[in-house]
Amino acid sequence: MTIAPEAPAEERFSAQLKAGTKQVHDNAEHSTFMEDLMGGKLNTAAYLRLINQYVYIYEALEGLTAKFCAEDNEITRPFTIEGLDRGAAIRSDIKALGQEEIDPILPSTQAYVDAILATENAPERYLAHHYLRYLGDLSGGQAVAALVARHYGIEKDALSMYRFPELPKPKIFKDGYRELLDNAPLSAEQRQALVAEAIEGFRLNAALFAELGRETAA
């Protein structure tokens, strides 16, 4: 039996997804709000405004996770990983920072939530948001946690959304996650849809940062 050689790294779907979203990812990452937040130019209140909006985003995403899990969807099954959900951790962090009630949802957040919920019958598009949020938390999110702790004195117990004690070390987990993407039973059209949805997800994320930036500047 002949074993097909492993595809070169740059030809793997996970690499194509990363390349296809690089520009919009960079745009979001280097938004004025995030650069100011991570550069120590804002305050704890600005960080709180951000994670308050994350409550709506993650609870929408994790509601769909539960739906796909209940359906035992073939595409999403390998990505239903215990220890990923962030909703409860974010609420805990908000409370640890002294806030009891969640802020009202912003228009940009509502647009983001609507986009996530619109993937309820398109598991490949749902995976785009799954990829964007959780791999983001395990990558740039780790830098966010370190920098807001340093600049604003935020204690460890108020940064639990960036801790994943049930998962392997971030690099090991992320490598495994990318392998799941490479091996997901997706058609060429579904892969294209996933990339397109991820691009939209990064655009929506940037729109949220822009709105928070306008609020901060007002």
Side-chain angles (χ1 to χ4, degrees):
M1 181 175 65
T2 302
I3 299 176
E6 187 173 317
E10 66 274 10
E11 293 181 12
R12 295 174 189 165
F13 175 57
S14 57
Q16 294 168 14
L17 174 58
K18 183 176 181 179
T21 57
K22 184 179 186 307
Q23 183 175 347
V24 286
H25 186 177
D26 288 348
N27 290 344
E29 193 171 65
H30 297 295
S31 68
T32 300
F33 175 80
M34 288 305 293
E35 290 198 332
D36 286 351
L37 183 69
M38 295 175 70
K41 296 179 181 179
L42 301 179
N43 51 32
T44 299
Y47 176 70
L48 256 175
R49 284 196 290 274
L50 172 64
I51 63 172
N52 267 264
Q53 297 307 306
Y54 280 169
V55 170
Y56 299 103
I57 292 165
Y58 282 86
E59 290 185 352
L61 181 62
E62 288 160 10
L64 285 188
T65 299
K67 171 189 175 292
F68 284 120
C69 184
E71 296 171 355
D72 195 24
N73 185 277
E74 177 188 18
I75 291 171
T76 64
R77 187 187 307 133
F79 297 88
T80 305
I81 301 165
E82 192 164 348
L84 273 183
D85 284 3
R86 298 290 90 193
I90 298 168
R91 285 182 175 272
S92 173
D93 289 349
I94 291 169
K95 191 169 184 178
L97 288 169
Q99 183 177 336
E100 294 296 329
E101 299 294 328
I102 304 300
D103 291 348
I105 193 168
L106 294 174
S108 56
T109 306
Q110 186 65 64
Y112 198 161
V113 166
D114 289 346
I116 292 170
L117 296 179
T119 71
E120 65 174 339
N121 295 312
E124 69 283 359
R125 288 185 178 272
Y126 152 85
L127 283 184
H129 296 286
H130 194 279
Y131 162 82
L132 186 162
R133 296 286 8 140
Y134 299 122
L135 256 63
D137 292 334
L138 286 157
S139 300
Q142 302 303 302
V144 171
L147 289 169
V148 298
R150 180 192 309 169
H151 293 311
Y152 312 121
I154 297 176
E155 299 291 338
K156 185 177 180 180
D157 67 348
L159 293 168
S160 64
M161 76 164 286
Y162 302 107
R163 295 199 302 274
F164 293 81
E166 298 175 61
L167 302 184
K169 290 183 178 180
K171 184 183 186 309
I172 295 171
F173 179 82
K174 290 186 292 181
D175 287 347
Y177 189 102
R178 293 184 185 105
E179 188 173 338
L180 290 178
L181 284 172
D182 295 337
N183 295 324
L186 299 170
S187 66
E189 291 77 12
Q190 286 175 314
R191 286 185 170 191
Q192 290 172 3
L194 196 161
V195 174
E197 189 72 24
I199 290 170
E200 178 65 2
F202 280 115
R203 188 194 68 77
L204 290 162
N205 206 34
L208 170 58
F209 295 156
E211 184 167 7
L212 288 168
R214 291 191 296 272
E215 275 195 351
T216 303

